[in-house]
């Protein structure tokens, strides 16, 4: 494998090598070269171009995840002989997870990083296997009787598995739990070439729905994307595996489905599938009809192989058998010639259109219920047709219920936006509330002081004595002022600065003393005199 040119070369084995198991046929084995979009070397870990699980996921796993978020359906499936590492590539181990765990982990990491109030994500997971051309749900516990599911087809959903478990998941831990349940229920067995050989084709499906609501235009945009991650059972030869009994029957069914898959890929890779019109004007005939219905696997993967999907094939090879390795490389070389035109699965509706659809669905449900009541009286020969119609009706009811749930989620988005606005105004409201509370406390103190001043009880006789004392004090003040005027007359002529200063200070002291006495008299008139002071004055 050349990492620069993505060229893979298969060397012819020597005569003494175990890979030349058919050297008795005397065929001339030659070196074969193939060029693919990506080529990985995972044989010797010490080599400089050794590819780990993370390198494989980074090369195209993230690109397919981007397609899913853009609204495209995607599909990745691993093909190869038994023991070549298909299950290791898709599922991996606890230490080295494969494409499926890494894709799911990257999905929820991106949902967490791009979470917003205007976008809602819904993720649903299903897991089933195709065993002996029967479909079995891997998320349902095993029972003594095999519970196989039926395959249906409708114009809206295409080919689907009826009554398949569709589990909603919120985080990668939920997906990991479903992984463990599915791996426990999956059919595996030991053969000569592989101790844990997968005896069925496993299909892990992730449905991603994005609902984006524009608050300004009240328009809702929905994007739906389906991821199918397929782990195919390995092709095997009964002579090499030495399988007998049940293992031999399983290997025959595996080879039959893989052979049909090869014919489907060959038909899709042929660019001239339509013959030109004949000279008589009649339309051209189909040269090769794609045999989807020849196998359950190809019928279920019809949309992924030749429909609306971006699909990648991982061809796993091992140096155990030259012919098997060459067959796998030719298989992959033919598959890369298929051209598929995928489209974005997007739907934009307004609130009025959505409400009209709900009303229309409700009217349709009532009509369908009436049809169901009428169909109960029909003959037994119409039973199969009635069962098919009933299934279509149930699908429409489920679609309406999901639409109502999505409407509720859109309403919750609006509530979250209004809640965020309230939370932004909450700090300003709290600051104003604290200021108002502080002003109310100060105002309450002032009003309380004015309404309830401190008053001490006083008797009428005491008030009379206080008034008499105030009169005496006033008469004393007048006398003191007269004396001061008489005393100051002898000094007026001296014009001594020191004397004037002393007189000025004395006048100020007397004025302050008179003012203090007046205030004391007013306080005694207002509040009265404490009992000890009354006793002292009385003595």
């Amino acid at each position: 494998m050349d990492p620069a040119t993505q060229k893979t070369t298969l060397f012819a084995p020597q005569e003494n090598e175990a890979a030349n198991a058919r050297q008795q046929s005397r065929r001339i084995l030659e070196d074969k070269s193939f060029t693919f979009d990506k080529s990985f070397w995972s044989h010797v870990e010490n080599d400089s171009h050794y590819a780990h699980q993370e390198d494989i996921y980074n090369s195209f796993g993230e690109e397919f995840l981007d397609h899913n978020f853009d609204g495209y359906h995607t599909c990745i499936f691993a093909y190869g002989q038994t023991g070549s590492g298909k299950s290791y590539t898709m599922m991996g181990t606890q230490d080295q997870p494969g494409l499926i765990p890494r894709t799911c982990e990257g999905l929820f990491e991106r949902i967490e990083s791009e979470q917003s109030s205007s976008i809602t994500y819904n993720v649903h997971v299903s897991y089933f296997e195709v065993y002996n051309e029967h479909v079995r749900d891997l998320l349902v516990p095993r029972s003594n009787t095999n519970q196989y599911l039926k395959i249906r087809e409708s114009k809206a959903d295409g080919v689907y598995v009826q009554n398949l478990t569709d589990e909603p998941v919120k985080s990668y831990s939920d997906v990991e739990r479903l992984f463990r349940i599915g791996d426990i229920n999956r059919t595996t067995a030991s053969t000569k070439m592989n101790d844990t050989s997968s005896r069925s084709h496993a299909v892990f499906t992730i449905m991603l729905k994005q609902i984006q609501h524009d608050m300004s235009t009240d328009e809702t945009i929905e994007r739906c994307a389906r991821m199918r991650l397929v782990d195919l059972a390995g092709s095997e030869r009964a002579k090499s595996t030495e399988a007998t009994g049940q293992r031999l029957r399983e290997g025959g069914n595996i080879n039959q489905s893989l052979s049909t898959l090869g014919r489907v890929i060959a038909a899709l890779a042929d660019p001239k599938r339509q013959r030109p019109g004949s000279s008589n004007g009649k339309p051209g005939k189909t040269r090769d009809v794609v045999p989807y219905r020849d196998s359950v696997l190809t019928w279920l993967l019809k949309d992924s192989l030749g429909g609306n999907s971006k699909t990648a094939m991982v061809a796993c090879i091992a140096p155990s058998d030259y012919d098997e390795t060459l067959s796998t490389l030719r298989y992959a070389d033919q598959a890369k010639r298929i051209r598929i035109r995928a489209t974005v699965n997007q739907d934009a509706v307004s609130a009025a259109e959505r409400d009209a659809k709900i009303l229309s669905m409700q009217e349709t449900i009532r009509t369908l219920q009436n049809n169901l009541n009428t169909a109960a009286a029909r003959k037994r020969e119409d039973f199969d047709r009635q069962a098919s119609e009933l299934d279509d009706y149930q699908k429409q009811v489920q679609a309406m219920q999901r639409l109502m749930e999505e409407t509720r989620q859109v309403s919750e988005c609006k509530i979250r936006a209004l809640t965020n606005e309230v939370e932004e105004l909450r700090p300003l409201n709290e600051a104003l509330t604290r200021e108002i509370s502080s002003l109310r406390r100060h105002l309450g103190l002032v009003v309380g002081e004015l309404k309830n001043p401190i008053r001490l009880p006083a008797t009428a006789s005491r008030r009379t004595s206080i008034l008499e004392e105030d009169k005496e004090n006033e008469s004393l003040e007048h006398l003191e002022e007269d004396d001061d005027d008489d005393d100051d007359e002898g000094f007026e002529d001296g014009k001594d600065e020191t004397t004037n200063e002393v007189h000025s200070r004395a006048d100020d002291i007397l004025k302050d003393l008179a003012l203090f006495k007046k205030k004391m008299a007013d306080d005694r008139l207002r509040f009265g005199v404490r009992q000890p002071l009354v006793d002292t004055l009385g003595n």
Side-chain angles (χ1 to χ4, degrees):
M1 194 282 294
D2 188 1
T5 61
Q6 305 299 334
K7 185 177 181 181
T8 301
T9 303
L10 177 63
F11 296 102
Q14 302 299 325
E15 293 182 357
N16 56 351
E17 290 183 3
N20 191 10
R22 301 191 179 189
Q23 59 182 348
Q24 295 82 358
S25 62
R26 296 182 180 180
R27 291 188 299 110
I28 298 175
L29 303 181
E30 299 177 350
D31 297 344
K32 300 291 184 179
S33 297
F34 299 89
T35 303
F36 300 103
D37 297 330
K38 299 287 183 180
S39 296
F40 304 99
W41 175 261
S42 300
H43 187 57
V44 181
E45 189 172 0
N46 295 329
D47 293 342
S48 60
H49 55 287
Y50 181 85
H52 294 274
Q53 295 277 51
E54 185 177 1
D55 299 329
I56 297 174
Y57 172 74
N58 292 335
S59 63
F60 65 95
E62 290 184 344
E63 178 185 355
F64 272 58
L65 196 59
D66 293 337
H67 293 327
N68 293 130
F69 276 90
D70 292 338
Y72 292 98
H73 293 330
T74 60
C75 177
I76 301 175
F77 64 95
Y79 174 83
Q81 61 180 326
T82 180
S84 59
K86 300 181 299 302
S87 297
Y88 177 77
T89 302
M90 298 303 294
M91 295 300 300
T93 61
Q94 189 70 23
D95 299 330
Q96 292 290 332
L99 279 172
I100 296 178
R102 291 179 186 272
T103 301
C104 295
E105 188 174 6
L107 170 68
F108 286 102
E109 286 178 356
R110 187 169 301 186
I111 289 175
E112 186 68 22
S113 62
E114 298 180 0
Q115 191 71 32
S116 65
S117 59
S118 60
I119 302 178
T120 304
Y121 296 92
N122 292 327
V123 182
H124 290 76
V125 167
S126 62
Y127 199 11
F128 66 91
E129 69 174 358
V130 180
Y131 174 71
N132 287 339
E133 293 299 302
H134 294 287
V135 178
R136 194 168 63 84
D137 194 345
L138 292 179
L139 300 182
V140 176
R142 282 180 174 270
S143 61
N144 296 331
T145 59
N146 294 324
Q147 298 179 355
Y148 298 128
L149 304 179
K150 294 182 179 180
I151 301 175
R152 301 291 186 186
E153 184 178 14
S154 65
K155 295 182 179 179
D157 301 328
V159 182
Y160 65 94
V161 180
Q162 187 180 12
N163 298 327
L164 180 65
T165 302
D166 190 18
E167 192 76 17
V169 291
K170 300 295 183 182
S171 63
Y172 175 70
S173 58
D174 297 339
V175 179
E176 194 174 17
R177 175 179 57 84
L178 298 177
F179 280 159
R180 289 194 294 267
I181 296 174
D183 292 341
I184 292 173
N185 294 330
R186 188 178 179 185
T187 305
T188 58
S190 175
T191 63
K192 183 180 179 181
M193 299 184 66
N194 190 357
D195 293 335
T196 58
S197 175
S198 301
R199 313 310 295 169
S200 64
H201 309 295
V203 180
F204 187 83
T205 306
I206 303 173
M207 289 297 300
L208 172 64
K209 177 174 264 190
Q210 306 173 70
I211 305 172
Q212 184 176 1
H213 184 75
D214 191 353
M215 300 290 291
S216 59
T217 61
D218 198 19
E219 185 178 10
T220 302
I221 299 176
E222 298 178 1
R223 291 191 183 95
C224 296
R226 181 188 64 239
M227 290 174 277
R228 274 183 175 164
L229 305 170
V230 186
D231 181 15
L232 297 176
S235 61
E236 59 186 34
R237 300 181 185 273
K239 184 176 180 180
S240 302
T241 58
E242 296 182 359
T244 59
Q246 182 67 17
R247 302 287 87 83
L248 180 61
R249 183 190 172 196
E250 293 170 354
N253 288 321
I254 291 172
N255 291 336
Q256 177 187 353
S257 60
L258 293 178
S259 177
T260 305
L261 180 62
R263 289 189 285 114
V264 168
I265 290 177
L268 293 173
D270 186 8
K272 299 180 180 179
R273 287 191 296 150
Q274 296 291 333
R275 291 181 178 179
S278 59
S279 59
N280 56 5
K282 295 183 179 179
K285 297 182 179 180
T286 302
R287 175 184 298 178
D288 189 10
V289 177
V290 181
Y292 288 116
R293 290 180 176 268
D294 291 356
S295 173
V296 173
L297 176 65
T298 55
W299 185 231
L300 288 172
L301 298 181
K302 175 183 177 181
D303 191 37
S304 299
L305 294 173
N308 180 22
S309 176
K310 292 180 178 289
T311 305
M313 174 182 173
V314 181
C316 302
I317 58 176
S320 58
D321 190 293
Y322 175 83
D323 291 335
E324 287 287 346
T325 303
L326 180 60
S327 176
T328 301
L329 292 175
R330 286 175 174 171
Y331 202 100
D333 186 69
Q334 195 173 37
K336 76 175 185 180
R337 305 175 191 275
I338 301 175
R339 295 294 179 262
I340 300 175
R341 294 182 180 180
T343 58
V344 177
N345 302 282
Q346 178 174 306
D347 185 21
V349 295
S350 63
E353 292 176 350
R354 187 171 57 253
D355 295 337
K357 285 185 178 180
I358 292 175
L359 294 175
S360 176
M361 288 182 180
Q362 290 176 348
E363 184 65 24
T364 304
I365 290 174
R366 286 193 293 268
T367 304
L368 296 175
Q369 288 176 346
N370 294 332
N371 293 337
L372 285 175
N373 296 331
T374 305
R378 292 181 181 177
K379 297 180 180 180
R380 184 64 181 178
E381 60 185 17
D382 297 332
F383 176 79
D384 293 336
R385 182 179 58 82
Q386 293 174 2
S388 178
E389 291 180 354
L390 176 61
D391 183 69
D392 292 339
Y393 301 157
Q394 291 176 349
K395 291 290 293 182
Q396 293 181 11
V397 171
Q398 291 177 0
M400 190 204 68
Q401 291 176 346
R402 287 190 178 184
L403 183 60
M404 295 177 68
E405 178 66 19
E406 292 161 6
T407 304
R408 184 187 63 80
Q409 292 178 355
V410 170
S411 301
E412 290 178 355
C413 290
K414 294 181 180 180
I415 293 173
R416 283 198 298 269
L418 295 176
T419 303
N420 294 335
E421 184 178 356
V422 172
E423 291 298 332
E424 292 176 358
L425 297 176
R426 192 181 300 278
L428 179 61
N429 184 29
E430 292 179 353
L432 294 175
T433 302
R434 289 194 297 269
E435 186 176 354
I436 292 172
S437 178
S438 176
L439 292 175
R440 284 180 177 175
R441 287 196 297 269
H442 286 292
L443 182 60
L445 293 175
V446 173
V447 172
E449 182 67 22
L450 294 176
K451 288 183 177 181
N452 301 312
I454 301 174
R455 296 181 180 277
L456 296 178
T459 57
S461 60
R462 185 57 194 162
R463 293 178 181 174
T464 305
S465 61
I466 291 172
L467 293 175
E468 292 176 356
E469 289 179 0
D470 292 339
K471 292 179 180 180
E472 291 177 359
N473 291 332
E474 291 178 358
S475 61
L476 288 176
E477 290 177 359
H478 290 297
L479 291 176
E480 290 176 355
E481 291 177 358
D482 295 338
D483 294 339
D484 292 337
D485 295 338
D486 296 338
D487 294 338
D488 294 339
E489 291 177 358
F491 295 97
E492 290 179 357
D493 298 333
K495 302 299 182 177
D496 188 20
E497 293 180 0
T498 303
T499 305
N500 292 336
E501 183 178 357
V502 171
H503 278 283
S504 176
R505 292 178 60 185
D507 290 340
D508 293 337
I509 292 171
L510 290 175
K511 289 179 180 179
D512 293 339
L513 181 62
L515 182 60
F516 176 74
K517 288 181 180 180
K518 186 175 180 180
K519 288 184 177 181
M520 289 293 292
D522 292 338
D523 291 341
R524 285 195 301 271
L525 182 62
R526 290 176 59 188
F527 305 111
V529 183
R530 295 179 183 272
Q531 189 61 34
L533 183 61
V534 173
D535 296 340
T536 304
L537 293 176
N539 293 332

